[in-house]
Amino acid sequence: MKYNTIGQSSIAVSSIGLGCMSLKGSKHKQGVELIRKAFDSGINFFDTADLYEKGFNEMLVGEAVQDFRKDIVLSTKVGNSWRADGNGWDWKASKHYIVKTVESSLSRLKTDYIDLYQLHGGTIEDPIDEIIEAFEILVDAGKIRTYGLSSIRPNVIRQYVAKSNISAVMMQYSLLDRRLEEEIAAYLLENQVSILARGAIAKGMLINKPAESFLQYSSSEVQHIIRNLNAFAKRHEVNNLTAALSFVLSNEAVTSALLGINTPLQMSEFIQIKEQIRLLSLTEKTELLSGVRALYFTEHR
């Protein structure tokens, strides 16, 4: 497993991280075992959020990593608050809320610090300077080591990069969502801010789920991309998961790709192919993208 540093921090994460959102409390024991197997396989980056399962996901992760807490990078997110009746959540991005809410995450995660604390969304109308101040207070207090942003809004991303010390931006990236290639990837790379990629297999369509329209691509365009991927995988004697992850990690702005493993079978499959994941050459990328049009962010530019 390769390890890369997040932004300008000293925090090194595995090139594949475990996105823990897909681990459900109804299968608590299995979730704990999967996290421990992920660690044994070389994964040291585990991502959750206070929003997931109303905090129970953080509790699951916190329990699972106790024996190796000091050896991993633990990431969670803040900014959304569940309503009292449990029927949905509201956006609460303020200095007071962030500084207060970190304590709940620390308690659920059974730790005294969070390696990467991310704003879970964000709009251009938010009190951005105040939010940045909250994260800086938490860094100074030793509650968090660094902070970042989980967002696909270019205008919001630019504000935080320009005004703050963020280390990372978590955003969607795959063969079916290459919007960040237009300009945001180069911008983040230039400013030494890491991209943490989610959605590398595009809801499973790049692996085994039926093709359907996705973002700006029609279902026929999605099918064309999948055919390219199938042909590439066959030609290079790898499976689709290996090829899809290799494509994502071949973007030099990407530091880690988060994979949502939620069954023992998926974990076994990952362990079998993890050493085959590699950086693709320009020629290989061209193979995968033959006949594929570029995508662009159409909102929040």
Side-chain angles (χ1 to χ4, degrees):
M1 184 78 71
K2 185 180 178 183
Y3 299 85
N4 305 307
T5 303
I6 298 178
Q8 298 185 64
S9 75
S10 60
I11 302 171
V13 296
S14 47
S15 58
I16 302 296
L18 188 65
C20 299
M21 181 178 72
S22 58
L23 301 177
K24 303 302 179 185
S26 58
K27 296 183 178 180
H28 184 91
K29 183 179 178 181
Q30 177 176 285
V32 169
E33 291 174 352
L34 286 172
I35 289 173
R36 291 173 178 168
K37 281 191 175 182
F39 175 73
D40 290 340
S41 78
I43 290 175
N44 80 334
F45 181 33
F46 299 89
D47 178 73
T48 181
D50 61 0
L51 183 68
Y52 303 158
E53 294 207 322
K54 302 176 182 177
F56 285 103
N57 194 261
E58 285 185 325
M59 293 173 68
L60 187 157
V61 174
E63 176 184 334
V65 305
Q66 284 305 294
D67 290 345
F68 44 83
R69 171 66 187 98
K70 302 296 183 182
D71 300 316
I72 64 165
V73 177
L74 199 52
S75 169
T76 191
K77 310 181 193 76
V78 65
N80 296 287
S81 176
W82 280 97
R83 295 171 192 148
D85 62 6
N87 184 25
W89 59 84
D90 297 306
W91 181 238
K92 285 194 176 181
S94 69
K95 175 181 174 182
H96 174 76
Y97 182 77
I98 292 168
V99 171
K100 174 185 175 182
T101 304
V102 72
E103 300 297 339
S104 297
S105 285
L106 288 168
S107 176
R108 288 190 290 263
L109 290 166
K110 298 182 179 180
T111 186
D112 55 5
Y113 69 96
I114 293 163
D115 297 285
L116 174 64
Y117 203 34
Q118 299 173 81
L119 185 67
H120 202 176
T123 73
I124 203 68
E125 290 80 23
D126 289 337
I128 292 175
D129 292 337
E130 177 185 319
I131 291 168
I132 293 168
E133 185 179 353
F135 284 114
E136 290 291 346
I137 287 171
L138 295 178
V139 171
D140 291 342
K143 303 285 186 180
I144 66 175
R145 294 177 66 192
T146 191
Y147 59 99
L149 180 67
S150 179
S151 175
I152 57 170
R153 296 182 173 188
N155 60 349
V156 174
I157 291 169
R158 289 191 194 93
Q159 285 292 305
Y160 280 91
V161 171
K163 294 183 172 186
S164 77
N165 296 309
I166 64 169
S167 295
V169 176
M170 184 174 290
M171 58 195 315
Q172 196 166 293
Y173 184 48
S174 72
L175 278 165
L176 289 178
D177 185 358
R178 294 165 42 238
R179 291 174 294 176
L180 61 78
E181 292 181 0
E182 178 193 4
E183 58 180 38
I184 206 69
Y187 174 73
L188 291 174
L189 186 63
E190 178 184 354
N191 286 278
Q192 297 180 274
V193 176
S194 291
I195 291 176
L196 307 175
R198 58 180 178 83
I201 58 174
K203 297 182 178 178
M205 284 188 286
L206 296 176
I207 307 301
N208 53 20
K209 297 291 177 64
E212 57 185 40
S213 58
F214 190 77
L215 298 175
Q216 300 153 34
Y217 287 135
S218 66
S219 59
S220 62
E221 288 177 304
V222 170
Q223 289 168 0
H224 174 84
I225 293 168
I226 293 172
R227 283 194 296 270
N228 279 4
L229 180 61
N230 291 340
F232 178 94
K234 183 176 181 180
R235 188 159 49 246
H236 294 275
E237 299 182 334
V238 296
N239 65 16
N240 283 27
L241 176 61
T242 304
L245 289 172
S246 294
F247 171 80
V248 168
L249 290 171
S250 294
N251 188 316
E252 61 180 330
V254 174
T255 295
S256 184
L258 289 155
L259 196 57
I261 296 171
N262 60 16
T263 69
L265 177 60
Q266 289 174 352
M267 179 60 71
S268 296
E269 291 173 343
F270 167 73
I271 291 171
Q272 289 174 11
I273 63 96
K274 66 186 178 74
E275 298 306 326
Q276 299 172 15
I277 301 167
R278 60 181 176 82
L279 300 184
L280 303 182
S281 67
L282 181 59
T283 299
E284 289 171 324
K285 289 182 185 179
T286 302
E287 286 181 52
L288 282 168
L289 299 174
S290 176
V292 179
R293 65 185 174 95
L295 293 187
Y296 306 97
F297 285 109
T298 58
E299 299 177 315
H300 311 291
R301 297 184 64 87

